[in-house]
Amino acid sequence: MTTSNYHVAVVGATGAVGQQMLKTLEERNFPIGKLTLLSSKRSAGKEITFKGETYIVEEATPESFEGVHVALFSAGGSVSKALAPEAVKRGAIVVDNTSAFRMDADVPLVVPEVNEEDLRNHNGIIANPNCSTIQMVVALEPIRKQYGLTKVVVSTYQAVSGAGLEAIEEMKSQTQSILNGEEFTPEILPVGGDKKHYQIAFNAVPQIDLFQENGYTFEEMKMINETKKIMHMESLEVAATCVRLPIETGHSESVYIETEKSGATVEELKELLKTAPGVTLQDDPANQVYPMAADCVGREDVFVGRIRCDLDRDNGYHMWVVSDNLIKGAAWNSVQIAESLVKLQLLS
């Protein structure tokens, strides 16, 4: 088989991430010989244009994966649990963008800039990490390699697009209602708010997903557990606080780290990150240059700035990390995994 005839399936092709996956596949000119677009029964029959050709979206069934080489899933965890094993049975490699398999011991959780070699140990399913985890580990990996890493404390400022199209619409409608002096009833956010929902417009909501018994939300536990798995560091100390802000796209993070080796200067960390894969350094405080969510939209990289030494610990550092949660946080990382499978000759 030549590298120009991979059969690629996109599951959840009509959704926000699925649409971005298709856009990324087209922009990257991924070697597709045949493309199959899949969705729920409700969305089947819709038309989507890819590279100038019109495709009819089909309902996803186990038989949909006959002959598929790689299947990109982004249709919800329940769909992945039901259909990913069926795709694997039929010879496909699944790249799953949900949390369904991320913490399974035999499923690699991959960010290509960090642990691409883990792809060699897959059993048919490869998990795409949580969007907020992805951007953080891309920024931290160069530092971990050079100076070691013992502790990570992160506070996130996450965009509503991470909660889906309905959340975006709720933010916009609430904003308009407030500006018009009209009343409204929150119905969507926080997702996981099984007891009540709150205003997101002109607000900060310190809950993303359901609270766990330990007081952390599921989103926070995802960041904690996924970071340890991706970096192969079970002993790494990680704590997270995840907050939803009224921003449409682009997650921001305040990250504090402690390194094994002390004494690295800010300039040394900047030099590391300047040449790090997938990272763009934007750090010139004298000229007010730093990453912002509004500037990262539509871009593949992770943007890092405001790097500074902790004032009390000589192995402590603070930084600001920003990325487009729909691109690097989802679609691009998934396509990047597929590209790595081609590069490592793991697609057959």
Side-chain angles (χ1 to χ4, degrees):
M1 185 186 69
T2 66
T3 56
S4 61
N5 64 347
Y6 293 117
H7 183 177
V8 176
V10 177
V11 185
T14 60
V17 175
Q19 288 287 292
Q20 189 60 56
M21 282 177 173
L22 289 168
K23 184 180 178 183
T24 304
L25 286 166
E26 185 166 351
E27 289 173 350
R28 298 290 300 181
N29 199 28
F30 189 83
I32 297 174
K34 181 178 180 181
L35 180 65
T36 298
L37 304 185
L38 302 169
S39 71
S40 65
K41 186 174 183 178
R42 185 182 68 244
S43 297
K46 290 184 178 179
E47 294 185 353
I48 291 178
T49 302
F50 180 82
K51 287 190 173 181
E53 187 176 339
T54 300
Y55 291 80
I56 305 298
V57 179
E58 305 168 24
E59 180 184 357
T61 67
E63 292 70 34
S64 303
F65 301 97
E66 296 289 349
V68 170
H69 297 109
V70 60
L72 307 179
F73 273 67
S74 190
S78 60
V79 174
S80 293
K81 286 180 179 177
L83 291 179
E86 295 294 335
V88 173
K89 282 181 189 176
R90 289 161 175 79
I93 296 177
V94 169
V95 181
D96 183 48
N97 193 50
T98 76
S99 61
F101 304 103
R102 286 176 186 159
M103 297 313 298
D104 285 13
D106 62 346
V107 174
L109 183 66
V110 176
V111 178
E113 293 91 342
V114 181
N115 63 331
E116 184 181 59
E117 283 297 312
D118 286 0
L119 291 172
R120 298 188 186 277
N121 301 316
H122 78 81
N123 291 304
I125 298 175
I126 298 155
N128 197 60
N130 179 268
C131 48
S132 48
T133 305
I134 290 173
Q135 67 186 68
M136 184 175 74
V137 297
V138 168
L140 295 187
E141 178 63 8
I143 299 169
R144 186 198 70 80
K145 278 184 176 177
Q146 186 74 19
Y147 297 103
L149 199 59
T150 60
K151 187 171 189 174
V152 179
V153 180
V154 56
S155 295
T156 72
Y157 308 78
Q158 294 181 222
V160 294
S161 57
L165 295 174
E166 288 184 339
I168 294 173
E169 290 308 311
E170 178 171 75
M171 177 188 70
K172 290 178 177 179
S173 66
Q174 285 181 5
T175 301
Q176 196 63 58
S177 294
I178 291 170
L179 293 174
N180 292 341
E182 300 167 350
E183 293 186 357
F184 58 89
T185 302
E187 296 178 345
I188 305 297
L189 292 169
V191 173
D194 54 341
K195 294 181 174 62
K196 57 180 72 174
H197 297 288
Y198 291 115
Q199 168 187 329
I200 184 60
F202 301 100
N203 197 16
V205 180
Q207 178 188 356
I208 300 178
D209 219 312
L210 290 169
F211 280 101
Q212 309 297 292
E213 288 184 2
N214 62 4
Y216 288 79
T217 64
F218 187 46
E219 181 83 359
E220 291 159 356
M221 291 309 301
K222 281 190 278 189
M223 289 197 75
I224 292 165
N225 293 325
E226 291 177 19
T227 299
K228 295 180 180 186
K229 181 175 179 178
I230 294 164
M231 290 185 160
H232 299 285
M233 297 182 71
E234 279 304 310
S235 63
L236 182 64
E237 297 178 11
V238 187
T241 302
C242 295
V243 181
R244 189 77 72 189
L245 292 190
I247 297 167
E248 183 168 338
T249 304
H251 288 354
S252 303
E253 299 172 348
S254 172
V255 184
Y256 169 74
I257 64 170
E258 292 181 5
T259 57
E260 288 179 7
K261 300 176 186 176
S262 60
T265 65
V266 168
E267 285 307 313
E268 286 171 334
L269 296 187
K270 287 183 180 180
E271 285 301 315
L272 267 183
L273 290 165
K274 273 181 187 176
T275 57
V279 173
T280 293
L281 183 71
Q282 295 180 328
D283 197 335
D284 182 5
N287 291 299
Q288 291 180 243
V289 174
Y290 35 71
M292 291 185 288
D295 297 332
C296 80
V297 177
R299 302 171 72 180
E300 292 177 351
D301 271 6
V302 172
F303 299 85
V304 184
R306 298 228 43 214
I307 301 170
R308 57 206 187 277
C309 294
D310 188 69
L311 298 178
D312 298 303
R313 292 184 177 273
D314 61 4
N315 68 331
Y317 305 89
H318 301 263
M319 65 185 68
W320 182 247
V321 181
V322 177
S323 188
D324 185 319
N325 53 296
L326 297 179
I327 297 183
K328 181 54 182 170
W332 164 226
N333 200 73
S334 296
V335 173
Q336 199 176 3
I337 289 171
E339 289 186 355
S340 292
L341 290 170
V342 173
K343 182 179 79 174
L344 298 173
Q345 299 182 336
L346 296 174
L347 277 181
S348 58

